[in-house]
Amino acid sequence: MRYIPVVLASFLVASCDLVTPDEIINPNVDESAFLDSDNPMETWVNGTEKEFALHMSDFVELMEILSDNYFNNYTRSSKVFDVPQLLYTDADVINLQRHVASLREMADYGLTTVAKADPKTSDADRFHLLYIKAYSFLLAGDFFRALPIVSGGDLVEWDGQLKKAIEVLDEAMPLANTDTDRAFILTLRARAAHRLGWREQAVANARQALSFSGNFYRQVLFDSKNGVLNRAQEAIWSDWFQPLPRLDFLDPKYYQMNSTDQCPITIAKAEENLLILAEAALAENNLLEAKKQLSALLTLVKARPVQTGINDQLEGRYNGGLKAFPNDPEYRVQASPDDSLRVGLIIDRRPPFLISIPYISGTSVSQQMIDGLDNHDSALELLYLMRQEIFFAEGRRPADLGIRLPLCEAEAANVENAQAYITPWIPAFVPQNYGLDDFTIDEEKKVVTITHNMNRVIVANAHAADVAPFE
């Protein structure tokens, strides 16, 4: 007899017969009882969306410290992703892979077994499950070298995962019944095509998405009352994770205005389409068009909401951590020893000051910086800086750096040809020994110098297979 996983049963709606009067979930409900209950599809979609949110918070937490966005300055969370060290025996690597598989399997179960059992299943239900399934393939394609696409199946490399994502998104598209939903699906499709280097498809999808909505965003939601918590928020709002100093002005993207606040995580937004159009224009050596798209992007980012009045005064940028981070707006920051100094990147969060943080998208790039672009490489570097800032704290950066996780030990024991994938893919140009997060502070001159400007490193290696897919 099969039992519904407790992790999904815990998200049953209050009206469901599987919840006892005192709101304690009955752990002995079997599959047939669930399928015969009232509205099983509604319950299943709710549970799948809950797991999607929880798994996304795990991905964001770990992908942010795997990148040059954040350093884990505390004892909780991974202490090796910052190195970066990615062992196929690492529990975090195993769990992230399980998250991908569980999202895929939950979506498939809903689309087949639950849909067959519930005559009330709607196109909206199918749409939600399909985009979650597609997103599982996007996660696999962005962050892993190879994974199965069915339980117990053969390994499929990252590019095959992204192609599968596109197939599922094509299934979802006819079920999208609003312009926002259509823009969402097309943006995910453009994202996959961009990573595959399919410039024409990515551009076509990006343009079509923008025609449906030029300012949409889609998020996963959390709920403190029901224990659906954004675990990335705990790491970012507290003093575990410290941002690279030139990204200080964007932190904390997940904050608490009161003790129960749980901030959502953005999983798609219109900004991605403008970034894709600008990058495609640069690949065609059309600097003028690229600047036009970057200007439109800047206008959109400036129109995004900003949360004011955030009390981040307990954030000392050290508080007994491994190393001190600058906490004074007088500091000027340079992205590498060869870069010019910039002001305004570090904000004053010391008492009595309250801070303001953009929580959909933010950037330090100005119109003057865009207007001053005069060559391909400087424009591509600025574009990848905007990608880094706009997707900050959304778990996207490792894909732009070309880093891929290995096949985990548990999966490797059960598939053929596993040995080729049990080591991570870390491009040679990615610094080791915590180099992604390295910087120095000159207290006398009030200067912070980042050791590696990774956006310039991306441009220098743009013709490698790992980064800048359109080059």
Side-chain angles (χ1 to χ4, degrees):
M1 182 180 292
R2 292 167 57 188
Y3 289 86
I4 300 170
V6 173
V7 73
L8 289 181
S10 66
F11 202 64
L12 298 173
V13 293
S15 62
C16 182
D17 291 340
L18 304 187
V19 182
T20 59
D22 57 357
E23 297 186 350
I24 297 174
I25 304 300
N26 181 353
N28 298 315
V29 175
D30 65 23
E31 181 181 23
S32 61
F34 166 68
L35 294 175
D36 289 338
S37 67
D38 291 336
N39 304 314
M41 179 57 85
E42 180 183 357
T43 299
W44 194 261
V45 171
N46 284 342
T48 304
E49 288 184 329
K50 170 196 169 182
E51 291 304 300
F52 185 29
L54 291 174
H55 293 346
M56 281 304 305
S57 72
D58 282 350
F59 264 96
V60 168
E61 176 188 341
L62 292 166
M63 293 302 100
E64 286 301 298
I65 54 174
L66 179 55
S67 73
D68 53 340
N69 285 350
Y70 276 104
F71 174 71
N72 183 8
N73 205 34
Y74 205 61
T75 55
R76 297 180 66 177
S77 195
S78 173
K79 294 305 300 175
V80 296
F81 274 35
D82 270 318
V83 178
Q85 177 180 300
L86 305 169
L87 300 178
Y88 84 127
T89 55
D90 189 306
D92 288 320
V93 172
I94 296 169
N95 285 334
L96 290 175
Q97 183 168 323
R98 284 176 175 160
H99 291 347
V100 170
S102 68
L103 289 176
R104 183 191 70 233
E105 294 300 310
M106 284 188 289
D108 273 340
Y109 184 82
L111 290 164
T112 55
T113 304
V114 183
K116 183 178 179 180
D118 189 351
K120 297 178 184 178
T121 297
S122 66
D123 283 350
D125 295 326
R126 293 186 178 90
F127 176 77
H128 280 82
L129 293 174
L130 282 168
Y131 82 64
I132 291 174
K133 180 179 178 179
Y135 213 96
S136 76
F137 291 121
L138 284 175
L139 292 172
D142 273 350
F143 301 120
F144 287 89
R145 296 192 62 183
L147 292 178
I149 61 173
V150 295
S151 180
D154 295 334
L155 295 178
V156 176
E157 292 192 348
W158 68 269
D159 55 342
Q161 301 283 343
L162 294 177
K163 292 171 186 175
K164 186 64 178 176
I166 291 173
E167 289 180 18
V168 179
L169 291 168
D170 287 345
E171 291 182 60
M173 188 62 182
L175 304 178
N177 60 10
T178 68
D179 284 350
T180 298
D181 284 346
R182 296 179 187 101
F184 170 51
I185 295 301
L186 287 162
T187 300
L188 295 184
R189 207 179 188 286
R191 169 179 167 179
H194 168 260
R195 188 64 57 199
L196 287 164
W198 295 355
R199 192 167 69 208
E200 291 184 3
Q201 281 199 34
V203 166
N205 290 157
R207 290 193 188 281
Q208 192 176 4
L210 290 169
S211 74
F212 284 117
S213 175
N215 64 355
F216 93 96
Y217 58 91
R218 180 64 63 99
Q219 298 175 314
V220 293
L221 305 178
F222 300 87
D223 179 2
S224 60
K225 180 180 178 181
N226 292 292
V228 187
L229 305 181
N230 181 351
R231 292 188 278 256
Q233 176 173 305
E234 184 179 8
I236 288 170
W237 172 240
S238 67
D239 55 5
W240 305 4
F241 289 8
Q242 301 292 357
L244 198 67
R246 64 181 180 80
L247 300 170
D248 179 271
F249 70 101
L250 296 169
D251 175 77
K253 199 167 195 173
Y254 311 120
Y255 49 83
Q256 287 187 310
M257 302 301 288
N258 60 62
S259 62
T260 62
D261 274 352
Q262 289 292 305
C263 291
I265 292 175
T266 302
I267 59 170
K269 50 190 173 184
E271 286 88 335
E272 182 145 20
N273 298 306
L274 293 167
L275 284 161
I276 286 171
L277 295 179
E279 190 168 350
L282 286 176
E284 297 167 356
N285 294 312
N286 190 340
L287 181 60
L288 186 62
E289 176 65 17
K291 291 168 70 171
K292 175 184 173 183
Q293 298 296 341
L294 291 175
S295 295
L297 173 63
L298 182 60
T299 298
L300 174 59
V301 172
K302 285 183 174 180
R304 290 304 196 188
V306 173
Q307 178 62 56
T308 60
I310 299 173
N311 186 338
D312 200 26
Q313 294 166 10
L314 294 178
E315 176 60 82
R317 291 293 183 231
Y318 180 56
N319 292 345
L322 299 176
K323 62 180 180 180
F325 282 67
N327 194 27
D328 187 335
E330 290 187 19
Y331 280 103
R332 296 168 295 163
V333 181
Q334 53 187 156
S336 77
D338 298 324
D339 278 277
S340 58
L341 294 168
R342 298 187 64 190
V343 298
L345 298 182
I346 295 173
I347 59 178
D348 200 338
R349 58 194 80 231
R350 300 168 298 180
F353 297 106
L354 303 178
I355 63 173
S356 299
I357 297 293
Y359 57 88
I360 301 297
S361 294
T363 184
S364 65
V365 171
S366 66
Q367 187 62 53
Q368 183 179 13
M369 293 168 68
I370 294 172
D371 292 341
L373 296 172
D374 59 4
N375 62 75
H376 170 280
D377 284 3
S378 64
L380 190 61
E381 181 181 337
L382 184 121
L383 184 150
Y384 270 87
L385 171 61
M386 294 186 79
R387 280 186 67 92
Q388 182 177 23
E389 293 177 339
I390 286 167
F391 296 136
F392 178 71
E394 294 174 12
R396 299 287 301 277
R397 181 67 167 177
D400 280 352
L401 296 174
I403 300 172
R404 296 189 181 280
L405 300 172
L407 184 71
C408 77
E409 181 181 31
E411 193 72 64
N414 295 294
V415 296
E416 296 182 1
N417 304 320
Q419 291 300 310
Y421 303 105
I422 61 173
T423 55
W425 185 259
I426 303 175
F429 52 77
V430 171
Q432 295 291 305
N433 300 316
Y434 304 97
L436 281 171
D437 305 303
D438 195 33
F439 63 88
T440 59
I441 300 178
D442 188 322
E443 297 282 1
E444 183 177 345
K445 295 180 179 179
K446 293 290 185 181
V447 169
V448 179
T449 303
I450 311 298
T451 304
H452 301 284
N453 180 348
M454 290 307 298
N455 296 307
R456 187 166 297 163
V457 171
I458 288 172
V459 174
N461 294 275
H463 295 296
D466 309 297
V467 294
F470 290 165
E471 293 293 314

